[in-house]
Amino acid sequence: MSSIFSKIIAGEIPCHKVAENEEFFAFLDINPLADGHTLVVPKQEVDYIFDIDDDVLGRMMQFAKAVARAIEKAVPCKRIGVAVIGLEVPHAHIHLVPIQQVSDISFAKPKLTKTAEELAGTAQAIREQL
């Protein structure tokens, strides 16, 4: 059975896409910890990030790095925090979260509520930096 992320990649579920290449897909989290919170996923369905082949995982991190640099330019922050939790969706993914301080990347804190228009604007601002 395909994951929600596979359905997003296939265009079956709408998203606010930030970047895409032949192997990876990046889109805004709809329940973000911060403005610009982006998920980077492989197009191939793999549940656990450490089950991804080493060379593919390396390319995934390079893709995530390019997206993170674009987020830094589009969203005021000190750093882009990186988290891999892997429990929410059975499809490997990397969270890229703009942060000012360590507590900004706590997944226990309340998520932001963003309108579709706000998310679309943020996605566009990030894409313009790629």
Side-chain angles (χ1 to χ4, degrees):
M1 184 164 104
S2 66
S3 74
I4 190 170
F5 291 166
S6 293
K7 291 176 182 177
I8 289 170
I9 293 164
E12 297 170 21
I13 296 174
C15 74
H16 295 280
K17 181 169 65 170
V18 170
E20 176 181 17
N21 68 16
E22 60 283 342
E23 290 184 291
F24 310 108
F25 198 91
F27 57 98
L28 293 182
D29 191 309
I30 60 168
N31 295 304
L33 292 174
D35 191 31
H37 180 169
T38 301
L39 300 175
V40 172
V41 301
K43 288 185 175 179
Q44 177 187 19
E45 259 188 46
V46 177
D47 178 14
Y48 186 45
I49 197 162
F50 294 123
D51 287 339
I52 297 173
D53 291 337
D54 290 349
D55 57 332
V56 176
L57 184 58
R59 290 192 302 274
M60 185 174 173
M61 288 303 295
Q62 290 172 334
F63 180 84
K65 179 180 177 179
V67 172
R69 293 293 189 206
I71 296 168
E72 284 178 322
K73 293 175 184 172
V75 178
C77 61
K78 286 187 180 178
R79 296 263 196 262
I80 300 298
V82 179
V84 176
I85 310 298
L87 299 174
E88 323 82 39
V89 177
H91 191 133
H93 57 287
I94 297 169
H95 293 265
L96 300 176
V97 183
I99 60 173
Q100 301 296 338
Q101 55 197 9
V102 173
S103 62
D104 291 343
I105 200 164
S106 170
F107 285 81
K109 76 178 200 171
K111 308 302 185 281
L112 300 179
T113 302
K114 295 287 190 173
T115 66
E117 293 78 21
E118 289 171 322
L119 290 170
T122 299
Q124 179 63 31
I126 296 168
R127 282 193 302 271
E128 289 173 358
Q129 299 302 320
L130 285 169

